[in-house]
Amino acid sequence: MVNRNLIILPLLAALFLFAGKVFAGDAPPMSEEEFSKAKQIYFDRCAGCHGTLRKGATGPSLTTDKTQAIPVQALETLLSEGTPGGMPPWKNILSKQDITLVAKYLQNEPPQPPQWGLEDMRKSWKVYVPVEKRPVNPPNGGTNWQNFFGVILRNAGKVAIIDGDTKKIVTTLDTGYAVHILRTSATGRYMYSIGRDGKATLIDLWASPPNIVAEIKTGFDARSIDTSKFAGSDHMDKHDGDSFNYLDRYAIVGDYWPSHYVIMKGDTLEPLKVVSTLGYTYDTNEYLPEARVAAIVASHSKPEWVVNIKEAGVVLLVDYSKLENGTITETRIDAERFLHDGGWDSTKRYFMVAANMRNKVAVIDTVERKLVALVDTGNKPHPGRGANWDDPKYGPVWATTHLGEGKISVIGTDPIRHSRYSWRVVRELQTAGNGLFVKTHPKSNNIWADNTLSKDLKDAQTITVFDKNNIDAGPTNIKLTDKGKIVHLEYNKAGDEVWISVWDNDGEIIVIDDKTRQIKNRIKGLVTPTGKFNVYNTMLDIY
Ligand code: DHE
């Protein structure tokens, strides 16, 4: 049965948009207190998709020429019910009063947030445990620390470190507001968290128990963090007699606001360089007062990061090999607008990134240093880092889920031995509903995907799995929970378990045996677990 709202809401908005063009309204008055409360709600819940200045990205622009054309009541209905394009129904999260506040706020001009420069960062920078006071060896006693998982407890502002062998929570750390993702250093010793509030936190996994050794505020709004993973090579500059390497040397954070990236020392988070990403769109050459840094990945074969600028549609290859004397070199590659998330292909030469508002995946060749292809996918691709496997018919492939429909698009990634399949969708796999993440492992026969954004709650509580060697047999959908939603998948170091989050205030991690596809463990008592990152798979970018 078609959900009535899916028809009424867009019609309502279109009707008011038309009507409003004739009777464009003014900004409704708001008290200072109301404006400040609505500003925080917008920052927490809306800015990620619609932009700090409301110019749009994963979600449409919400500038006042548009929002004043829609009466407050219609805005309230849209906010309450959500939209088919992926905006959740806020009635389940915000009160009616708060929804009204946000509706009014959207009809007022957005405030210009402050800047945040190197001096501000330096003042916020704290080292809790100096490097010389940290363990010089990994924990002993058989602790398989490279099979630890960092698990984000989103609404609790914490990260749990869970032992992948024992399934025990080793410790829970206060990393701050709405942590978004975790990454590790190249050796896996350090784990880095980035919160939506721009705070980066450095966790020492060799401490017993792991502890926070440094933190810094890099801006007001951030989503990505990574580290330097190039081990260097003989021809590199010689420093102190041995070949210069970059393992654990640097960390980089990409901010949404201000629009910049920040390079720090990897073992202390001391800020070294801030680089603005403001500029022009690659296609229309209009100036962008907001050019947010989306996904960042670290090259394993060069001293460089791949840094994606969302609104500009530009991919930067940032060379850090001369950072010692203050120099970074950027190669700017025009790709496609509204770049979001992405990951390496199986060779770690090609970077696959979703331009989700343009329904495309951009393929960047980091050897030839150019855009190789723009692949048409389904409605709003959203891969996380995506998933790589060897398809029996198409050879090496990479896959993405979609925010706007229940489908996995599978893209050929081997331009040498499978050139006729490369850089185009070779399979479309139906899942149970709109998803966020897809995952597999080189040792697994399975491809797993969540259905987190499905309009039907039972589908959002379901995991979808395909057999790589019998994909045409279609999906197996397994309902895993009666509470919350299923989100994000991660393998353990051995590649024989899949860890899946039940995103709920009384959440848990469900551990599935990858061979039998049966539930092995439930790690309970976790507040809104979302992303989780296995140390070994994250340091080596195994996905
Ligand atoms: Fe994410 C990855 C941005 C909402 C959980 N998310 C990313 C990346 C970006 C991004 C740019 C890639 C980072 C990288 O690889 O360097 N996410 C955004 C948004 O702008 C958006 C749409 C809205 C917002 O305001 O943040 C958004 N993200 C969410 C969520 O609602 C999720 C499900 C839960 C949460 O934290 O609020 C969520 N995003 C994640 C996770 C990853 C991620 C777990 C990393 C996946 C991985 O395996 O690498």
Side-chain angles (χ1 to χ4, degrees):
M1 207 259 278
V2 178
N3 177 335
R4 266 176 344 108
N5 285 332
L6 296 186
I7 298 167
I8 296 172
L9 292 172
L11 271 182
L12 196 66
L15 181 74
F16 282 119
L17 271 176
F18 168 72
K21 282 271 172 279
V22 181
F23 324 100
D26 296 326
M30 295 181 81
S31 69
E32 212 174 295
E33 193 193 343
E34 286 176 331
F35 191 84
S36 146
K37 181 172 184 189
K39 185 176 74 171
Q40 188 60 44
I41 296 170
Y42 180 84
F43 170 76
D44 293 347
R45 304 286 185 185
C46 321
C49 288
H50 297 281
T52 309
L53 302 179
R54 300 195 213 140
K55 302 280 188 189
T58 307
S61 73
L62 298 172
T63 44
T64 50
D65 59 315
K66 283 171 74 176
T67 55
Q68 286 181 6
I70 308 175
V72 176
Q73 297 80 354
L75 277 176
E76 288 168 348
T77 309
L78 272 172
L79 289 166
S80 293
E81 300 301 330
T83 64
M87 180 169 80
W90 291 110
K91 65 185 175 189
N92 306 335
I93 298 167
L94 298 174
S95 69
K96 265 182 84 57
Q97 294 72 17
D98 285 352
I99 285 177
T100 301
L101 270 189
V102 173
K104 287 183 177 172
Y105 177 75
L106 294 178
Q107 294 194 324
N108 279 272
E109 286 305 323
Q112 175 80 18
Q115 290 303 319
W116 187 258
L118 194 66
E119 270 328 294
D120 303 305
M121 294 176 203
R122 197 168 281 285
K123 284 184 198 133
S124 74
W125 172 49
K126 297 188 184 74
V127 177
Y128 296 108
V129 181
V131 176
E132 60 277 11
K133 293 212 175 356
R134 297 175 197 167
V136 289
N137 294 305
N140 50 27
T143 307
N144 184 5
W145 63 277
Q146 286 189 338
N147 196 30
F148 280 2
F149 285 73
V151 178
I152 292 168
L153 307 181
R154 186 194 187 283
N155 297 3
K158 296 174 189 288
V159 167
I161 304 293
I162 299 180
D163 183 323
D165 291 357
T166 66
K167 313 297 186 278
K168 295 269 180 272
I169 298 175
V170 179
T171 188
T172 303
L173 300 167
D174 284 315
T175 47
Y177 172 77
V179 176
H180 191 234
I181 73 165
L182 306 173
R183 293 290 187 257
T184 67
S185 61
T187 64
R189 182 224 173 115
Y190 291 117
M191 186 166 264
Y192 299 76
S193 83
I194 186 66
R196 273 188 169 68
D197 58 357
K199 187 170 100 172
T201 304
L202 177 61
I203 297 166
D204 184 1
L205 295 173
W206 283 10
S208 297
N211 60 6
I212 293 176
V213 292
E215 66 174 61
I216 185 170
K217 184 170 176 58
T218 63
F220 292 99
D221 195 1
R223 295 293 180 280
S224 52
I225 191 163
D226 213 330
T227 60
S228 53
K229 292 191 173 177
F230 179 52
S233 58
D234 295 345
H235 76 276
M236 296 302 290
D237 301 344
K238 295 284 178 206
H239 285 237
D240 345 300
D242 56 13
S243 79
F244 195 70
N245 83 50
Y246 297 90
L247 304 183
D248 300 9
R249 184 171 288 270
Y250 298 125
I252 180 172
V253 162
D255 283 85
Y256 269 14
W257 191 273
S259 299
H260 65 212
Y261 58 85
V262 185
I263 304 174
M264 299 151 282
K265 279 193 73 196
D267 59 0
T268 63
L269 296 183
E270 180 186 2
L272 301 172
K273 199 161 199 57
V274 192
V275 181
S276 172
T277 51
L278 291 177
Y280 295 82
T281 54
Y282 89 93
D283 49 0
T284 57
N285 279 294
E286 62 188 293
Y287 181 72
L288 290 164
E290 186 176 9
R292 297 179 287 171
V293 178
I296 298 178
V297 288
S299 172
H300 293 248
S301 56
K302 285 190 182 66
E304 76 183 7
W305 293 296
V306 182
V307 177
N308 291 268
I309 316 300
K310 182 182 280 282
E311 285 81 1
V314 168
V315 176
L316 301 179
L317 302 181
V318 178
D319 177 335
Y320 52 74
S321 63
K322 301 277 177 299
L323 184 56
E324 295 284 300
N325 48 30
T327 304
I328 50 117
T329 315
E330 285 182 354
T331 303
R332 290 176 71 88
I333 302 173
D334 289 352
E336 183 50 285
R337 292 179 72 182
F338 307 110
L339 296 168
H340 191 73
D341 50 1
W344 291 112
D345 79 308
S346 54
T347 67
K348 296 195 181 57
R349 166 174 175 169
Y350 298 100
F351 176 64
M352 318 286 287
V353 56
N356 52 24
M357 276 304 271
R358 297 275 167 94
N359 298 337
K360 292 180 193 302
V361 164
V363 182
I364 304 294
D365 182 342
T366 60
V367 170
E368 297 291 328
R369 313 179 81 64
K370 65 178 185 182
L371 174 72
V372 172
L374 284 175
V375 183
D376 288 317
T377 63
N379 183 353
K380 289 194 186 164
H382 185 284
R385 286 163 289 170
N388 289 291
W389 69 89
D390 230 348
D391 186 284
K393 180 175 174 191
Y394 301 111
V397 294
W398 178 91
T400 178
T401 25
H402 295 79
L403 300 174
E405 60 182 308
K407 179 162 79 177
I408 296 171
S409 290
V410 182
I411 299 170
T413 59
D414 177 6
I416 310 293
R417 283 181 299 280
H418 299 80
S419 55
R420 63 191 164 129
Y421 302 129
S422 62
W423 316 136
R424 66 181 184 82
V425 173
V426 292
R427 289 185 190 272
E428 293 191 326
L429 309 176
Q430 295 311 318
T431 59
N434 304 18
L436 282 170
F437 301 107
V438 57
K439 189 68 75 172
T440 186
H441 186 279
K443 292 182 185 158
S444 166
N445 289 327
N446 293 318
I447 304 148
W448 300 86
D450 62 27
N451 303 282
T452 320
L453 297 186
S454 172
K455 291 285 173 237
D456 182 330
L457 184 59
K458 81 171 169 21
D459 291 336
Q461 297 173 335
T462 295
I463 201 79
T464 298
V465 57
F466 289 87
D467 177 345
K468 284 178 192 172
N469 303 315
N470 188 11
I471 286 188
D472 297 331
T476 302
N477 292 316
I478 310 166
K479 189 166 183 299
L480 287 177
T481 176
D482 292 323
K483 64 184 175 185
K485 293 184 174 183
I486 292 293
V487 69
H488 198 251
L489 313 103
E490 179 76 341
Y491 275 85
N492 64 339
K493 179 179 175 186
D496 57 11
E497 288 174 356
V498 191
W499 288 39
I500 299 167
S501 300
V502 176
W503 184 1
D504 185 81
N505 283 325
D506 175 24
E508 56 189 69
I509 300 284
I510 295 174
V511 180
I512 290 189
D513 180 307
D514 185 60
K515 287 239 176 333
T516 65
R517 298 179 176 179
Q518 298 301 312
I519 294 177
K520 281 178 77 172
N521 306 78
R522 284 178 181 265
I523 304 169
K524 294 180 177 280
L526 300 172
V527 177
T528 59
T530 50
K532 58 222 148 280
F533 301 87
N534 175 270
V535 171
Y536 186 76
N537 293 331
T538 307
M539 63 193 251
L540 296 177
D541 282 310
I542 296 173
Y543 43 82

